């Protein structure tokens, strides 16, 4: 077992000290950009103003013969813009691919002081995080990186799901975890070709009794995994995210999947298409009516203890904490969105 005192020591001489608390940042959407496509790279300044996180994707969806162009394109994107409060992330290639190592070596050397988070795909267990943790520390020391680059894991293999709690707590460098439903479906031999979302055949049929036709109710294929991931992240003090929703022609289904994730505890989701940015903004912010009610609870119980009735509903220390989650998020959103700030009365 690693000793608690050593957990927060830099893993290389000269690397910055690991963070004890995650930076407080609004991350409603992680917007994916294919950096090998010049036309998409050119949109970076526009995107910075619209999204919470810009991610240069080097892994799946980038053809094998464009991997080096994507890496170079990401470095160019990172150098060419001031990201301000918008996060700059990259999704590197998997650790067992021919590109993962050089992705890290070249990117940290070139833009290590601008990079906030590395998204690591196909994480199977804590050993993957330990490897990247050590490598990042060596590279940070070598290139005089001033603040630690964080790691975000994708949960997209059956083995990873089995080990999710130890992945979440593997290092103080852990930022969060995203559900990757496409790779996970393949890894588990699930019989779906969709990228996220429900499936019409995954349902519960009402009891036969004397009803015809018998109503059927579609269930959420991802409920178990998402819940397991949210618990692992919350317990480790890191952030859970829903990943990709691949059917751009069905914004209602995307919104429903994102909303389930939001209600379950997720901080955000990926946007793979510009139309999903607005969906994520709508979903990953509390409803003004919910915020107003939560504020009433906080106001009625200034020290967070006791029991009161509001609008016929019982409130106590636990609902005070629920209300605080809602109001804290509303404040974070309000700081970035003047329209919602006025709707929230904050
Ligand atoms: C994302 O990478 C996924 O596989 O769903
Ligand atoms: Mg994947």
């Amino acid at each position: 077992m690693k000793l608690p005192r050593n957990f927060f020591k830099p893993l290389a001489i000269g690397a910055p000290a690991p963070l004890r608390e995650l930076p407080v940042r609004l991350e409603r959407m992680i917007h994916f950009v294919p950096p090998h496509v010049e036309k998409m790279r050119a949109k970076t300044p526009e995107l910075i103003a619209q999204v919470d996180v810009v991610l240069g994707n080097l892994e799946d969806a980038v053809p094998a013969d464009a991997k080096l162009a994507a890496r170079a394109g990401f470095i160019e994107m990172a150098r060419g813009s001031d990201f301000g409060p918008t996060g700059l992330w990259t999704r590197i290639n998997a650790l067992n691919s021919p590109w993962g190592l050089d992705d890290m070596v070249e990117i940290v050397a070139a833009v290590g002081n601008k990079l906030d988070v590395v998204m690591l795909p196909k994480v199977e267990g804590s050993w993957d995080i330990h490897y990247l943790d050590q490598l990042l520390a060596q590279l940070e020391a070598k290139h005089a990186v001033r603040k630690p680059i964080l790691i975000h894991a994708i949960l997209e293999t059956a083995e990873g799901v089995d080990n999710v709690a130890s992945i979440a707590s593997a290092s103080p460098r852990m930022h969060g975890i995203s559900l990757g439903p496409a790779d996970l479906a393949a890894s588990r031999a699930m019989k779906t070709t969709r990228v996220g979302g429900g499936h019409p055949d995954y349902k519960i049929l009402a009891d036969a009794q004397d009803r015809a036709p018998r109503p059927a109710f579609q269930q959420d294929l991802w409920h178990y995994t998402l819940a397991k991931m949210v618990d692992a992240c919350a317990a480790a003090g890191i952030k859970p995210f829903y990943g990709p929703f691949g059917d751009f022609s069905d914004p209602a289904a995307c919104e429903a999947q994102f909303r389930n994730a939001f209600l379950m505890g997720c901080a955000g989701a990926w946007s793979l298409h510009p139309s999903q940015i607005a969906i994520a903004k709508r979903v990953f912010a509390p409803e003004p009516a919910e915020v107003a009610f939560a504020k009433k609870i906080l106001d009625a119980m200034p020290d967070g203890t006791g029991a009161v009735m509001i609008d016929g509903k019982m409130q106590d220390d636990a609902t005070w904490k629920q209300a605080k989650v809602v109001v804290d998020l509303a404040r974070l959103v309000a700081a970035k969105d003047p329209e919602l700030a006025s709707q929230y009365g904050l």
Side-chain angles (χ1 to χ4, degrees), residues 59-60 91 122 156 183:
E59 200 224 9
D60 292 357
R91 176 168 81 166
K122 322 253 189 311
E156 53 182 353
D183 270 300

Side-chain angles (χ1 to χ4, degrees), residues 9 61 161 286:
K9 284 189 182 153
V161 175

